[in-house]
Amino acid sequence: MSMIFIGGSSEIFELPEPAITRIGAIVAAEHGVLIGDASGADAEAQGLLAGYKYEHVGVFHAGKEPRNNLGDWAAYHVPSPNDARGDFVHAAKDREMARRADFGMMVWDGASPGTAVNVLRLAIANKPCVIYDLARGNMATTYNVEDWCAMLRHAGPDIRRQVKARMTPDERLALPE
């Protein structure tokens, strides 16, 4: 059973039709799903999976309890470092999902630095990730860091700065000079 890391921007409250179709294919193929507990794309994908009554799902969370676990699936608590604040609270669980995954599927609004860094984590490990880029209205697949760099070229300089600020030193080292 392949493990798929499904995620995306917390500002997305409706999945695009191709992403809905792909989730249906993931269910039909009985792949495992690793998903976060955030509002937005995570909760939308959880709702779809719950509608299928799909059982092969693990919800990863940084807090004591998941913020969203719409299918009452197994929950995996990944604590963040004590000094983590803001969005960095969720980075450890995101890194763990990327580590466990064989593939990724992200729904990106073209602005979310967290989603972009999750794609990078998969790219560093040469794990394919399908990205539904709602800002550009297209779908692309990254296989490596070079593909990720090409994806990020379309984001503005402010977004690229935010993405870089979210990276660990090791993740920054993976980038070409």
Side-chain angles (χ1 to χ4, degrees), residues 63-140:
K64 289 184 181 191
E65 297 293 326
R67 296 169 289 179
N68 291 291
N69 186 348
L70 304 179
D72 197 30
W73 297 290
Y76 300 92
H77 178 242
V78 182
S80 55
N82 290 335
D83 61 345
R85 298 288 177 262
D87 294 316
F88 294 98
V89 168
H90 304 285
K93 74 160 173 63
D94 290 344
R95 281 192 298 275
E96 181 62 15
M97 286 186 286
R99 186 188 72 74
R100 290 185 185 202
D102 299 302
F103 303 95
M105 184 194 116
M106 300 288 156
V107 183
W108 191 41
D109 61 4
S112 166
T115 303
V117 174
N118 283 335
V119 175
L120 173 63
R121 291 174 179 133
L122 292 161
I124 288 170
N126 296 308
K127 297 176 180 181
C129 182
V130 174
I131 302 109
Y132 296 94
D133 183 343
L134 300 186
R136 297 183 55 228
N138 71 359
M139 181 198 81

Side-chain angles (χ1 to χ4, degrees), residues 132-155:
Y132 296 94
D133 183 343
L134 300 186
R136 297 183 55 228
N138 71 359
M139 181 198 81
T141 302
T142 56
Y143 296 93
N144 53 44
V145 173
E146 291 77 24
D147 293 342
W148 179 84
C149 289
M151 175 194 96
L152 210 59
R153 270 189 219 110
H154 301 289

